[in-house]
Amino acid sequence: MSLARAEPAMPEEHYLNSERGLWSWLTTQDHKRIGVMFLVALLLMFLLGGGYALALRTELLTPGETVMGRLAYNRAFTLHGVVMVWLFLIPSIPTAFGNFLLPLMIGARDVAFPRLNLASFYLYVLGAVMTLWAILQGGVDTGWTFYTPFSTATGTDVLPVLLGVFVVGFSTIITGLNFITTVHTLRAPGIGWMKLPLFVWAIYGTSIIQVLATPVLGMVLVLVALERVAGVGLFDPARGGDPLLYQHLFWFYSHPAVYIMVLPGMGVISETVCAFSRKNPFSYRVLVWSTVGIAFVGFLTWGHHMFVSGQSTFGSGAFSVLSMLVAIFTALKIFTWMSTMYRGSIWISTPFTYVLGFIFLLFFGGMSGVAVAVTSADIHWHDTYFVVAHFHFIMVGASLMAFLGALHYWFPKMFGRRYPESLGIGTAVLIIFGFIATFLPQFLLGNLGMPRRYADYPEHFQPLHVASTAGASLLGFGFLIVAIYLGWSLRHGAVAGKNPWGSRGFEWYSASPPPESNFHEPPAFPHRPHDYARPGIEPEVGHAL
């Protein structure tokens, strides 16, 4: 049916116009403005990392040299990985949407430490500048994992990248501490732990991982830097060191880092599934405790990256079982989301389209993750394109679907305007199809034995590489369309109104865009989050149910 509504009006005063001028943004302590600044910086990093990806796929169109030499290829895939992992995927949803929404969702005026929040943004920018300095210095060829002994011996300038990622890690730790403190101390009266929005739970679990794991990354990066500068020998077998020590320390952080990327996305999906199914979550507690379970077990699975390193049979078996345990918690989430949608009043919207893409990529990527957790299978697939496809489905595909879903779902909240819905849905379908077309051939390449990180390959692999590059081109075209219509909507989009989705999320109790103080009066939340069982809140714009 069609719901007719009067044309909504933009609030006269909101956080975007409460102060004017560039200086007001650069010195702001408003969590919403800091979230928007993070969003802009993240999109610039995504543009750079995506440009490197297209360059790599272009080189792999044909065997032999296509557009770049071997060293240039090594540098390109290293900087692609560094930018996408450290400067986009890990900080993406927590810094942009977590900063903007978490205080709104718990009825707070701001985060616990506004000045530290601004400092975390500048640390991120400083770390990004230091990391990207390597581009001007000729690039780095170690891969984004900086494996020793190559990273301690290569002739390329690794130090700016190591120190840049180290500084970005400080930004991550500060952000995590700020969110944990905010959730513990600034919840509005009546919001107990089992009344927290599911997105807040996801950010809270992610913050715990950030605070506990990131110092290990910082420590190991400093050790590699000392190895290069002072030759301390911790990872050099000739001096009594062990290069596998680096792998243990690196993956102790970097496997939980996968959940730093994916857990916030799961929170986004939990919010949007309820909103566009018009139903309460099938089980709020299952979604909460599976978040806690993923955060805990993620620390115990790093060894499955080292099945071919010579570790003991018992160690490999234990890490294999623990890796599969994570899949149980993930499956609980997927079944709960699907049960929430079952017999719901589904609203096919742009955010919901990305929800469907997220669930498919998470399920497919998760099942391939269970496969590579089997030691006998992983020996065949290790360091092949099968692994590349697997972690892109999980780390990039699922995280990116959630990021785009969050951007479209909360775009009216952040900027007070709507985007062309039909164009958004069509582009979402194009992006999902383009992503699958890019990485599905890589599963086949890996199964056939094509090693990753190689610029050359036998001719019989070319058809699959061409298919993958064609998918990447579709993907890039889809992102270009999103940038165009969202940029257009910032100025010319229809006014959204306070709650265009008719959501029961606590953040929609505030105006869209919110005032500088978040709420004009102390908020009262009379119902539980995601409570669609009671009538009373309908969308402010018409839609088909």
Side-chain angles (χ1 to χ4, degrees):
M1 64 180 176
S2 179
L3 304 177
R5 289 288 183 270
E7 192 69 27
M10 184 77 79
E12 291 185 6
E13 185 175 338
H14 46 79
Y15 80 98
L16 292 168
N17 65 10
S18 59
E19 294 182 89
R20 298 188 182 275
L22 178 62
W23 186 249
S24 70
W25 281 84
L26 296 177
T27 59
T28 186
Q29 296 178 30
D30 184 351
H31 67 99
K32 299 179 292 298
R33 286 193 166 198
I34 294 172
V36 171
M37 291 194 295
F38 264 117
L39 179 61
V40 172
L42 290 165
L43 291 175
L44 290 174
M45 293 301 101
F46 178 71
L47 176 63
L48 179 62
Y52 275 118
L54 288 175
L56 294 172
R57 291 312 320 164
T58 303
E59 168 58 30
L60 291 169
L61 264 175
T62 62
E65 184 173 326
T66 306
V67 294
M68 66 180 80
R70 303 296 180 263
L71 180 58
Y73 180 86
N74 291 346
R75 290 170 169 172
F77 79 67
T78 296
L79 290 171
H80 163 69
V82 167
V83 171
M84 290 299 291
V85 172
W86 308 115
L87 301 181
F88 176 70
L89 290 170
I90 287 177
S92 58
I93 293 177
T95 57
F97 301 107
N99 257 315
F100 193 100
L101 295 161
L102 188 141
L104 287 167
M105 286 183 164
I106 63 174
R109 290 175 58 91
D110 210 315
V111 294
F113 306 112
R115 290 186 178 86
L116 277 179
N117 201 20
L118 181 61
S120 72
F121 171 72
Y122 284 116
L123 283 172
Y124 170 83
V125 173
L126 175 61
V129 170
M130 293 172 66
T131 301
L132 299 181
W133 175 251
I135 297 176
L136 300 179
Q137 296 296 101
V140 182
D141 62 348
T142 62
W144 70 273
T145 56
F146 312 117
Y147 266 13
T148 57
F150 186 65
S151 62
T152 59
T154 178
T156 56
D157 195 2
V158 181
L159 281 178
V161 181
L162 294 174
L163 297 179
V165 174
F166 177 79
V167 172
V168 170
F170 269 102
S171 172
T172 299
I173 294 170
I174 291 173
T175 299
L177 285 171
N178 217 342
F179 287 162
I180 292 171
T181 308
T182 301
V183 171
H184 276 270
T185 63
L186 297 182
R187 302 194 307 273
I191 301 185
W193 284 100
M194 287 297 125
K195 198 176 175 181
L196 284 175
L198 290 167
F199 180 72
V200 174
W201 268 111
I203 294 296
Y204 182 80
T206 303
S207 298
I208 292 174
I209 299 174
Q210 290 173 325
V211 170
L212 294 180
T214 308
V216 178
L217 173 70
M219 175 184 68
V220 72
L221 294 180
V222 169
L223 291 176
V224 173
L226 288 174
E227 187 94 335
R228 285 186 64 88
V229 173
V232 292
L234 287 171
F235 309 121
D236 184 359
R239 302 187 181 190
D242 185 358
L244 292 181
L245 173 61
Y246 173 86
Q247 292 190 34
H248 280 289
L249 294 172
F250 179 83
W251 289 115
F252 181 81
Y253 163 80
S254 292
H255 194 78
V258 173
Y259 306 111
I260 294 177
M261 304 176 209
V262 176
L263 263 183
M266 292 177 171
V268 172
I269 301 309
S270 297
E271 296 282 337
T272 48
V273 161
C274 295
F276 294 107
S277 301
R278 318 305 297 168
K279 278 184 65 181
N280 294 17
F282 181 76
S283 175
Y284 174 90
R285 290 181 180 271
V286 165
L287 291 173
V288 167
W289 290 114
S290 60
T291 296
V292 176
I294 289 172
F296 173 73
V297 177
F299 280 98
L300 307 176
T301 60
W302 79 91
H304 76 230
H305 294 272
M306 302 174 63
F307 283 158
V308 298
S309 67
Q311 66 184 357
S312 69
T313 303
F314 174 80
S316 294
F319 283 122
S320 176
V321 172
L322 289 168
S323 299
M324 294 179 188
L325 181 59
V326 176
I328 295 176
F329 294 114
T330 304
L332 287 172
K333 286 188 177 292
I334 293 175
F335 290 138
T336 304
W337 294 328
M338 300 301 291
S339 299
T340 302
M341 287 187 271
Y342 177 65
R343 303 185 71 177
S345 298
I346 301 295
W347 178 355
I348 301 299
S349 62
T350 305
F352 189 77
T353 307
Y354 285 114
V355 166
L356 299 179
F358 177 94
I359 292 175
F360 174 79
L361 295 176
L362 182 68
F363 176 80
F364 197 101
M367 292 304 294
S368 66
V370 172
V372 296
V374 177
T375 53
S376 57
D378 184 71
I379 291 171
H380 171 63
W381 287 325
H382 190 80
D383 268 341
T384 71
Y385 265 86
F386 192 96
V387 176
V388 174
H390 158 66
F391 75 69
H392 274 85
F393 261 66
I394 291 289
M395 289 168 51
V396 184
S399 298
L400 195 55
M401 293 302 112
F403 180 85
L404 290 170
L407 182 60
H408 287 82
Y409 179 55
W410 284 303
F411 187 89
K413 169 58 61 179
M414 298 175 78
F415 304 108
R417 295 193 177 272
R418 299 292 301 273
Y419 45 83
E421 191 65 36
S422 57
L423 184 59
I425 293 172
T427 307
V429 172
L430 176 64
I431 288 174
I432 294 168
F433 178 78
F435 191 90
I436 295 170
T438 300
F439 293 103
L440 193 58
Q442 296 185 19
F443 279 112
L444 303 177
L445 283 167
N447 204 44
L448 292 171
M450 170 73 193
R452 61 176 175 168
R453 298 181 174 180
Y454 277 53
D456 199 1
Y457 55 85
E459 289 187 4
H460 64 272
F461 287 140
Q462 185 176 8
L464 289 172
H465 275 296
V466 170
S468 182
T469 301
S473 301
L474 286 178
L475 198 56
F477 183 62
F479 292 140
L480 178 62
I481 297 174
V482 171
I484 291 172
Y485 73 68
L486 288 185
W488 178 88
S489 300
L490 285 173
R491 180 173 294 271
H492 303 290
V495 175
K498 181 179 180 179
N499 189 357
W501 308 119
S503 172
R504 297 299 178 90
F506 291 164
E507 72 274 21
W508 298 100
Y509 274 62
S510 180
S512 300
E516 184 178 13
S517 59
N518 289 348
F519 301 92
H520 291 297
E521 55 187 37
F525 303 120
H527 59 83
R528 301 180 68 82
H530 327 295
D531 185 1
Y532 293 89
R534 301 185 312 153
I537 299 179
E538 296 296 339
E540 297 185 9
V541 295
H543 71 282
L545 290 175

